[in-house]
């Protein structure tokens, strides 16, 4: 199997057939063997029925359909789909035709024709969305890159084609709260960014409200950085230093108010510092709890070769 498609579907009844048939047409024409894993994420609009019909229409093993018992979210659908893939490459693509299968083909061709890359990610240079949303997204990328060591590329989407070894690396990340953009980056490997333009949705509407996006962004920040947990460390030390200064000055010039203020700040700072230290322990428990692999092997060369060792 050359390539597997992972397609999360939530209330996409008018789109699922088109997306599958377009992929089928494009990849069969090129004689690339493929499968599509369509994950129905607890849709309420008859997507499941439509997927079952589609499955009956194409009984040649190129379609797998998984249905969730309720809506678990796109990240869960992607993970589930990925677990069911068997292809040498995996493409993550939405069910609404905003990400064109023709682009997926170009991405796949790039992946197999370039030796050192394991991931081709579609990326938007300019976003077709309102100014405010664009602004908040820019702020998000600036902030998250400031406080994490994992790199987040602005404009890079989840629309990607990855190699089997990278897919396996992502599957080895067992964390419960998943944030794909972070996972793709955290596992490493070379990524090639290919520019593309997002199309309009074929039908239906976006499932991401501003509030949902905001919560998702927080998920990314908390999932990849423990800096917020150590904020009180810094504040505590600053307060303590300020308090100490005031206390000494108050004692020297015999100013009772200043002395008392100094003591209050000193004690407050000390408490904050202690909370920060507790936070450092909690952050370690948190990171350990994620159970991330300690390393990811890209290549292993071992055993006998018929090279020039003679
Ligand atoms: N999706 C999903 N579960 C959800 C929300 C969305 O599986 O709870 C799927 C949806 O069907 C689509 C993809 O995730 O295939 C992207 O969603 P959407 O098009 O709403 O996001 P946008 O393109 O507006 O960012
Ligand atoms: Mg969409």
């Amino acid at each position: 199997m050359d390539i597997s498609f992972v397609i999360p579907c939530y209330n996409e009844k008018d789109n699922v057939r088109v997306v599958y048939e377009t992929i089928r047409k494009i990849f069969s024409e090129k004689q690339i063997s493929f499968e599509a894993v369509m994950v129905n994420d607890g849709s309420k609009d008859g997507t499941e029925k439509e997927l079952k019909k589609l499955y009956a229409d194409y009984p040649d093993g190129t379609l797998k359909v998984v249905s969730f018992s309720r809506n678990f979210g796109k990240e869960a659908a992607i993970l589930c789909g990925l677990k069911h893939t068997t292809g040498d490459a995996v493409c993550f693509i939405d069910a609404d035709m905003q990400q064109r299968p023709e682009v997926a083909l170009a991405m796949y061709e790039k992946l197999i024709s370039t030796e050192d890359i394991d991931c081709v990610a579609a990326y938007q240079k300019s976003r077709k969305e309102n100014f405010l949303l664009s602004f908040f997204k820019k702020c998000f990328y600036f902030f998250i890159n400031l406080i994490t060591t994992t790199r987040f590329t602005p404009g890079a989407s989840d629309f990607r084609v990855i190699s089997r070894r990278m897919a396996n690396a992502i599957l080895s990340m067992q964390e419960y709260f998943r944030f794909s953009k972070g996972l793709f980056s955290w596992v490493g490997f070379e990524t090639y960014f290919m520019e593309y333009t997002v199309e309009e949705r074929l039908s239906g509407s976006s499932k991401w409200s501003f509030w949902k996006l905001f919560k998702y962004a927080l998920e990314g920040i908390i999932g990849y950085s423990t800096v917020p947990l150590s904020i009180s460390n810094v504040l505590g030390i600053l307060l303590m230093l300020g308090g100490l200064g005031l206390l000494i000055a108050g004692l020297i010039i015999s100013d009772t108010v200043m002395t008392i203020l100094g003591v209050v700040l000193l004690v407050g700072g000390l408490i904050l510092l202690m909370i920060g230290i507790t936070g450092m322990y909690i952050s370690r428990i948190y990171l350990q709890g994620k159970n991330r692999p300690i390393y990811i092997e890209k290549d292993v060369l071992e055993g006998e070769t018929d090279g020039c060792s003679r």
Side-chain angles (χ1 to χ4, degrees), residues 94 96 98 201:
D94 286 352
D96 54 9
Q98 279 194 286
R201 226 174 198 286

Side-chain angles (χ1 to χ4, degrees), residues 7-12 39 41 71-75 77 93-96 98-99 198 201 205-208 212-213:
I7 314 174
C9 313
Y10 178 54
N11 295 347
E12 307 278 9
V39 183
D41 181 15
N71 178 249
F72 281 90
K74 183 180 172 183
E75 289 290 347
I93 189 167
D94 286 352
D96 54 9
Q98 279 194 286
Q99 304 166 342
V198 177
R201 226 174 198 286
S205 58
S206 172
K207 278 92 202 169
W208 293 93
K212 253 184 140 178
L213 272 178

Side-chain angles (χ1 to χ4, degrees), residues 15 31 52 66 69 87 97 102 160 165 175 199-200 259:
N15 301 332
Q31 284 164 1
K52 282 187 176 151
V66 184
S69 55
M97 294 294 280
E102 293 89 326
R160 286 168 193 243
R165 61 182 179 181
E175 57 209 72
E199 301 296 316
E200 289 299 325
T259 313

Side-chain angles (χ1 to χ4, degrees), residues 140-283:
F140 165 74
Y141 281 108
F142 174 76
F143 186 62
I144 200 163
N145 280 321
L146 197 69
I147 62 169
T148 60
T149 46
T150 309
R151 280 303 101 206
F152 290 80
T153 311
S157 70
D158 294 348
F159 180 26
R160 286 168 193 243
V161 180
I162 63 173
S163 66
R164 171 49 53 190
R165 61 182 179 181
M166 182 155 166
N168 289 343
I170 288 173
L171 283 173
S172 73
M173 316 262 303
Q174 307 210 325
E175 57 209 72
Y176 184 87
F177 296 97
R178 298 181 79 84
F179 184 76
S180 276
K181 285 187 176 60
L183 296 178
F184 287 133
S185 171
W186 193 91
V187 295
F189 299 101
E190 274 320 300
T191 298
Y192 176 85
F193 291 95
M194 190 179 266
E195 203 181 325
Y196 89 122
T197 320
V198 177
E199 301 296 316
E200 289 299 325
R201 226 174 198 286
L202 192 62
S203 87
S205 58
S206 172
K207 278 92 202 169
W208 293 93
S209 58
F210 183 79
W211 179 235
K212 253 184 140 178
L213 272 178
F214 181 73
K215 282 204 302 195
Y216 190 59
L218 270 186
E219 195 68 71
I221 290 167
I222 292 173
Y224 287 85
S225 169
T226 49
V227 169
L229 270 179
S230 37
I231 291 174
S232 64
N233 264 336
V234 181
L235 277 181
I237 290 172
L238 288 179
L239 267 188
M240 273 177 72
L241 287 178
L244 200 66
L246 272 183
L247 180 63
I248 294 170
L251 286 175
I252 291 172
I253 60 170
S254 305
D255 186 327
T256 327
V257 176
M258 202 186 252
T259 313
I260 292 175
L261 197 63
V263 172
V264 170
L265 285 187
L266 195 66
V267 174
L270 197 69
I271 293 172
L272 266 182
L273 184 64
M274 287 303 145
I275 293 175
I277 291 173
T278 317
M280 285 166 78
Y281 284 95
I282 292 176
S283 72

